[in-house]
Amino acid sequence: QVQLRESGGGLVQPGGSLRLSCAASESIFRFVNMAWYRQAPGKERDLVAGITIGGNTNYADSVKGRFTISGDNAKNTVDLQMNSLKPEDTAVYYCNAQRRRALNSWYDYWGQGTQVTVSS
């Protein structure tokens, strides 16, 4: 049974910073990919940042240069450092983990989400 739990969300002013943490119930090395997604009211859930088991990262264009994703195997966590936050970053942020099921097939696990609100 895989469990993902997000923490670190809250209210911050534009230009501020937050650090989100995703705690996994097992070693993050058991997942080939881990990622952060976000969903704003009335919008689809979109990929924010991802990291592979090999340490490769990718980011949505809207957060490049502002957000950084990193993994800590000792703590079984994947973090998202968010700097220079903008009102449009306001959303529920979800942790995602993928495990390979078959060729070109993946199984997705999701956390319950944490609210990030950027407002003055």
Side-chain angles (χ1 to χ4, degrees):
Q1 183 177 356
V2 174
Q3 293 181 320
L4 304 174
R5 187 170 300 168
E6 303 96 334
S7 63
L11 175 64
V12 65
Q13 294 185 347
S17 298
L18 284 174
R19 188 176 183 89
L20 306 183
S21 182
C22 172
S25 59
E26 58 191 84
S27 172
I28 61 174
F29 287 156
R30 289 181 54 85
F31 307 103
V32 295
N33 301 300
M34 296 194 73
W36 284 93
Y37 286 72
R38 68 186 181 188
Q39 186 168 23
K43 303 293 185 179
E44 295 183 350
R45 186 177 298 188
D46 295 323
L47 175 68
V48 177
I51 185 168
T52 72
I53 193 171
N56 294 321
T57 59
N58 66 289
Y59 299 89
D61 288 341
S62 59
V63 307
K64 286 181 179 177
R66 300 189 298 120
F67 292 10
T68 302
I69 188 170
S70 60
D72 188 336
N73 184 57
K75 298 180 179 179
N76 289 350
T77 61
V78 172
D79 294 345
L80 183 69
Q81 178 66 47
M82 305 185 295
N83 299 325
S84 302
L85 283 162
K86 305 174 181 179
E88 50 262 46
D89 295 319
T90 296
V92 177
Y93 284 69
Y94 296 91
C95 181
N96 166 264
Q98 288 186 318
R99 182 173 293 161
R100 187 175 183 272
R101 182 167 58 188
L103 182 63
N104 296 323
S105 181
W106 312 89
Y107 193 91
D108 286 276
Y109 302 93
W110 295 93
Q112 294 301 304
T114 185
Q115 177 71 48
V116 172
T117 302
V118 184
S119 176
S120 59

